[in-house]
Amino acid sequence: MRMSADLRDLFLYEAFLYYNPLLLVTTMAWLWGINLWVFSRSNINYAKIFDLDQNHLTHREIWKCATWMTIIVPTSMTAYLYLYSNGEVSLAASQPVLLYFAVVMLLIFPFDIFYFSSRYYLLRALWRIVLPLQAITFSDFFLADILTSMAKVFSDIERSVCRMVHRQVATIAWFEADSVCGSHSVAIPLVLVLPYLFRFFQCLRQYRDIGERSALLNALKYSTAVPVIFLSALKYHVLPESWTNFYRPLWLLSSVLNSLYSFYWDVARDWDFSSFARMFKFNKSHLYSHLLHGRTWVYFWVIGSNLILRCTWTYKLSAHLRNNYLTVFTIAALEIFRRFQWIFFRVENEWNKINFRPNMQLSMNDPSDDEVKLLSSSAGYNV
């Protein structure tokens, strides 16, 4: 490409902006297939947990979709780069537009082809997340939690669609960070915060329906993400002195609070590892992981890695890293990997609740040995 090094970096950054959201969605699809594969091998009835019908997608069908995405998305990106470098600017600009249009049409296509029931299930779940007007099911807040890990994906999709609508694809408009679709746009923090707000209102709805105090504490956890997002965006809209002396310390404090609160909730509530120490003392199956029974190193790995990945925001402390699109992509991919790990133990915890609580209740209702002897003697006396 006949460009200077700086211009080439900007051009590749723009190309990456259009395609990295779909690459991350493709990654999530592959990992979700692995989740389902492990559940099926571990005899975890995930269809029961998520209230799926008999036509739900298996891990093989998920991987089939991911394979097509792995082929189509890089092919479109290659066509965009090739056409632009050969002077076919209008044809190059049409590549991401056609791809986004095809994805939307595939999701909302009203006919009974290409996994219609699964697409309808997904769209219905998304609608319930946006408008939590009914009782919140496990699948509702489970999907909403996944969406919080894909906030960067939605932000990049918003910027990409904005440039398509304003006819800025493959134009010099992407030089301007302060433009309506630029990297300093006020729409970016608004889109980033939406998944957390959806989850926040789900928690309030859950408190209204059930009255559990933990729902309010969970809502508080999601609310701590709001100042992190808006204070980070404020960097581009205040004086450097104000940012360094006032807003940056607030951002650091809110980021640490959000990371530690979220980490605690993952371990103690979502995974129910509050009795973590007892797992290594007592050989009782209901105290162990259903999936990874006896493999204690897995607990150390998932807890340690979850803490580290909850703190990946620290890359923003480096000006060099925060402006490198490959670094940003890597951080977004690591968050998706963290959520991939989280899914195993969150679903496992829900499965244990479904299976072990009734058994524990039955065992609590069983008469003790003394009661059995007393009943036997009473029966003999009556006879």
Side-chain angles (χ1 to χ4, degrees), residues 39-289:
F39 295 150
S40 63
R41 290 179 61 87
S42 304
N43 296 319
I44 288 184
N45 189 354
Y46 61 86
K48 180 179 180 180
I49 295 175
F50 296 114
D51 193 25
L52 302 174
D53 60 28
Q54 60 182 1
N55 296 320
H56 68 273
L57 298 184
T58 65
H59 62 275
R60 291 185 180 87
E61 291 164 323
I62 295 291
W63 284 339
K64 186 185 296 184
C65 296
T67 299
W68 280 109
M69 295 167 68
T70 305
I71 296 172
I72 293 172
V73 176
T75 298
S76 177
M77 185 175 182
T78 303
Y80 175 84
L81 295 171
Y82 176 80
L83 291 170
Y84 192 96
S85 62
N86 284 276
E88 301 289 344
V89 177
S90 59
L91 285 177
S94 67
Q95 298 305 307
V97 176
L98 291 174
L99 181 60
Y100 275 62
F101 178 77
V103 170
V104 173
M105 292 305 298
L106 192 63
L107 282 175
I108 66 174
F109 198 63
F111 300 105
D112 191 8
I113 59 173
F114 196 73
Y115 310 123
F116 174 77
S117 61
S118 297
R119 290 188 288 112
Y120 178 72
Y121 177 91
L122 175 62
L123 293 175
R124 185 176 56 184
L126 291 173
W127 179 256
R128 290 197 303 265
I129 290 172
V130 174
L131 292 175
L133 302 178
Q134 62 289 310
I136 306 301
T137 65
F138 177 79
S139 60
D140 291 339
F141 67 73
F142 181 85
L143 178 58
D145 273 328
I146 293 176
L147 296 184
T148 61
S149 292
M150 302 182 72
K152 184 65 171 62
V153 171
F154 300 128
S155 172
D156 286 347
I157 289 176
E158 182 276 328
R159 291 179 62 196
S160 299
V161 173
C162 178
R163 295 187 182 195
M164 293 173 190
V165 171
H166 290 85
R167 299 179 181 273
Q168 294 182 359
V169 180
T171 67
I172 60 173
W174 38 269
F175 281 114
E176 303 170 6
D178 295 322
S179 65
V180 64
C181 304
S183 58
H184 299 172
S185 169
V186 295
I188 294 176
L190 294 177
V191 174
L192 286 173
V193 82
L194 279 179
Y196 298 95
L197 292 181
F198 293 151
R199 194 67 185 89
F200 173 80
F201 287 116
Q202 278 186 334
C203 294
L204 295 184
R205 174 65 196 233
Q206 193 173 16
Y207 175 74
R208 175 192 169 187
D209 294 340
I210 304 176
E212 289 185 358
R213 177 170 163 268
S214 61
L216 291 180
L217 295 176
N218 202 11
L220 179 62
K221 181 194 74 173
Y222 291 104
S223 69
T224 61
V226 177
V228 176
I229 293 170
F230 283 102
L231 286 172
S232 180
L234 205 60
K235 173 182 174 66
Y236 305 108
H237 304 282
V238 297
L239 296 175
E241 295 80 8
S242 299
W243 167 254
T244 303
N245 298 327
F246 182 72
Y247 293 109
R248 188 172 184 267
L250 285 179
W251 171 71
L252 286 172
L253 179 62
S254 60
S255 298
V256 170
L257 176 63
N258 174 256
S259 295
L260 295 180
Y261 197 166
S262 300
F263 169 73
Y264 161 77
W265 200 272
D266 288 340
V267 175
R269 299 303 184 96
D270 288 344
W271 299 340
D272 196 17
F273 285 0
S274 55
S275 57
F276 181 67
R278 289 187 294 161
M279 295 178 184
F280 311 108
K281 292 182 179 180
F282 304 104
N283 188 22
K284 294 183 179 179
S285 60
H286 68 276
L287 293 178
Y288 279 88
S289 165

Side-chain angles (χ1 to χ4, degrees), residues 258-380:
N258 174 256
S259 295
L260 295 180
Y261 197 166
S262 300
F263 169 73
Y264 161 77
W265 200 272
D266 288 340
V267 175
R269 299 303 184 96
D270 288 344
W271 299 340
D272 196 17
F273 285 0
S274 55
S275 57
F276 181 67
R278 289 187 294 161
M279 295 178 184
F280 311 108
K281 292 182 179 180
F282 304 104
N283 188 22
K284 294 183 179 179
S285 60
H286 68 276
L287 293 178
Y288 279 88
S289 165
H290 182 81
L291 294 177
L292 305 163
H293 178 75
R295 301 176 187 176
T296 54
W297 65 269
V298 175
Y299 294 96
F300 291 109
W301 163 261
V302 74
I303 291 175
S305 62
N306 189 70
L307 176 60
I308 293 172
L309 294 176
R310 279 289 188 184
C311 299
T312 51
W313 54 267
T314 53
Y315 84 95
K316 293 184 178 181
L317 298 176
S318 169
H320 173 70
L321 292 178
R322 70 179 296 153
N323 294 321
N324 186 300
Y325 60 89
L326 291 177
T327 301
V328 176
F329 176 81
T330 302
I331 295 300
L334 286 174
E335 171 58 21
I336 288 177
F337 177 76
R338 187 197 67 81
R339 185 61 66 179
F340 161 72
Q341 291 189 146
W342 175 91
I343 288 172
F344 284 122
F345 296 93
R346 183 64 187 91
V347 172
E348 166 201 80
N349 185 30
E350 189 67 19
W351 181 244
N352 289 340
K353 290 178 181 178
I354 294 173
N355 285 277
F356 292 134
R357 279 185 178 177
N359 295 335
M360 292 175 65
Q361 187 65 34
L362 287 174
S363 65
M364 292 174 63
N365 293 333
D366 288 341
S368 63
D369 292 339
D370 293 336
E371 289 174 333
V372 170
K373 292 178 181 178
L374 180 60
L375 289 172
S376 300
S377 62
S378 299

